[in-house]
Amino acid sequence: MDFTYDDEQQALREAVRGLLATAYADHDARRRTVADEPGFDRALWGRLAEMGVLGLPFAEEHGGVGAGPVEIGIVCQELGRVLAPEPYLASVVHAGGLVAALGSPEQKADLLGRLSAGEVVLAAADTSPGGRWASRADGVRASVSGDTWTLDGVADPVVAGGSADVLVVTAALPDEGGTGVFVVDAADVERTGYAAADLSRAASVRFAGSAATPLGAPGRDLAPSIATISDLTRIMGANQSLGVMQSQVRATTDYLKSRKQFGVTLNTFQALTFRAADMYVSLELAHSMVDWATMTIAGGDREAVAEAADRVGLEVSRAGRHIGQEAIQLHGGIGMTAEYAVGVGTAHLEVLDQWLGNAPHHLSRLAGRVTDHELVEALS
Amino acid sequence: MQLELSPADAEFRARMREFFTTKVPQEIRDTVLDGRHLTRDQIVESQRVLNAEGLAVPHWPTEWGGQDWTDLQRHLWHEEMQRAGVPIPLAFNASMIGPVIAQFGTEEQKARFLPDTANLDIWWSQGFSEPDAGSDLASLRTTAVRDGDDWVVNGQKTWTTLGQHGDWIFTLVRTDPEVKKQAGISMLLIDMTTPGVEVRPIELIDGGHEVNEVWFTDVRVPGDLLVGEPGQGWTIAKFLLGNERVGVAPVGATKRALAGLKTVAAAQMEDPMVRARVAELENQLLALELTALRVVAHSAGGEPHPASSVLKLRGTELQQAVSELALDLAGPASLASRADEDSPQEGWARRSAPTYLNFRKASIYGGSNEIQRQIISRTILGL
Ligand SMILES: Cc1cc2nc3c(=O)[nH]c(=O)nc-3n(C[C@H](O)[C@H](O)[C@H](O)COP(=O)(O)OP(=O)(O)OC[C@H]3O[C@@H](n4cnc5c(N)ncnc54)[C@H](O)[C@@H]3O)c2cc1C
């Protein structure tokens, strides 16, 4: 048992941190980037590709690097730390994850190769308007005629859907055949982009007889695999939240040491330092759970990953609310401003949770299973 | 990063589990598992069983019975003990005064006290707190004045846990009133049968008697019972209190208590509200346990992991939260807390209110949770 990074992992962290620092160390740079389409920095996306970061999860034969969950988690943490708007989770982890899990060898080589090289952006379309976190599609229906598949319906929100070149779509198969996954050229759909609360981009995507290619062999019910990729994305989202929370605790601590009121710095007031201490407690507990969930992926057991996703999802959502709200409160008015990173960070934490799974959702699932076990074991 | 225990550690854990569940008397373990009170004899018996196997004081120096284990092994030992319902070796002996004597004592003190302390042939009490010196321990007023080779002690200690069973008490006393308050403190070991020592019970809110006042009136203490140098008491106390906080998050026992509730209140587990509360607590306990593992896996040889202060704070909060859940599940049955053993109400339910009240102590003693927040904000966050 070991909770520390090895030298290579440490080096990866430094490299990603260094690159992101040149882009977003100054929160103004992020504000300028998200102000215009596509809402992220394509040049930076290219540099992430050159560093091998975009291909990190994928096999070398498909143009990737073949790294493990810990490495991907490190990248997500660093992206979270500076609130980078690049669609790494949506494109690489989620949509890329679906392709890597379900695609034919040719599809993987093509799509993952171009994704790793930074040539295309992928987005997963798996949520229907008003829908919640489900592995069964109900907003989009697939039809087949001969060998030709088409899709009809609406997916919304599709995170990074506006800038994506290729959509990876979950759709209900004909005749109660379950849920399939299809690749759709973004040029064949109607898209309406918008910004979320943290100014990251999503889109409403309308399919109207849009030409679609089944991912892998056609006609299979892929709901279990879709669920697993969502679980993996949830865990990586928790890594990203961890990065955000680390920055917020640090920013709040720095602020309490520098801001003067009543002729003294704020850290003179114990009511405030105790609240900062409680933020640290939430942060460290969440950190432990994030590391554990990330390591659970390496075990490869689907049920264990599902369990870990619920557990880390609940913990990180709770911690995110606590830390995000306190970070704003302890900053006072400045915490409310768009020009300051703390408030946007709080928005980002919410966007991640509401996209990937919020606390009541995970708690409800855990509550449903509560009598299936005696003790919850950290070490199996 | 890697989640599995190494084969050696897994084997170690299995060995602990085997020993604890087969060699410690079932009657004692059942008492713990049911949440009933242990007698003095049961605590002594259990510690002697452990000590015979070298499992009572594994964190002591090896020459005095320690085991040279890694922090992870110590953690596994501690968790498995709680899981099996084995009473943790008496903290005053095993975690507090033993390591202090091993570190600061004379050779003569070590030989005289350490074997008996490990085997619980001597039952130690902790005489630090006073009515006007709690969190601000350094303001203590009990005095020790030199008289020939002896010290003469006068004053009052309070909150002395299980002092009614104590054979000896380790005390902080003021030996020099002239210097800065921390510098004038020394540590004395006092035989509680010495004339002038008087132990008076304090009743707690749960109706139990576990703490006492200890009064000293012209108590003569031989000079060779001073630990370290005169004026070194504060340094020694900091060393001791640092140890006190290790293993203070009773994760294993709290997990076991929560799992027990799922069985004894099985009918209520249909209620979605109850299920949600249990699930939430299980998750928080998992996060705490993982944090404890992160801390032990990190601290191999070096400085303690900064997150270790989280353990006491959160560990006691969760211990209290589980006792709250038990009380809520017991409901009206909890009113029977002082009913006879032949009450038709179940034992766990009858014990729920006293347990809830008793566990309020956990966030007060051993450095209150406010003091823990102070440590986190000052030493970790630099505020
Ligand atoms: C059941 C029990 C068993 C005990 N056993 C022993 C024992 O065996 N031997 C022994 O020596 N002692 C023992 N103690 C004493 C224990 O260590 C003290 O109770 C503890 O240190 C707190 O001191 P106090 O009770 O005087 O509270 P106070 O120090 O008066 O504190 C009152 C409140 O103020 C808070 N507070 C104090 N200072 C600060 C500060 N600077 N900033 C913010 N908040 C602050 C505290 O956290 C607490 O909430 C025991 C206590 C209990 C309840």
Side-chain angles (χ1 to χ4, degrees), chain A residues 270 274, chain B residues 92 125-137 158-162 204 210-211 244 358 361 363-371 374:
Chain A
Q270 195 185 54
F274 274 24
Chain B
F92 307 112
S125 291
Q126 179 188 21
F128 282 14
S129 305
E130 298 183 7
D132 290 326
S135 303
D136 180 18
L137 186 56
T158 190
W159 309 124
T160 311
T161 297
L162 302 180
L204 290 186
E210 66 181 62
V211 293
E244 188 182 19
N358 186 271
K361 71 188 176 187
S363 48
I364 297 173
Y365 63 33
S368 74
N369 283 9
E370 287 70 34
I371 297 301
Q374 194 123 289

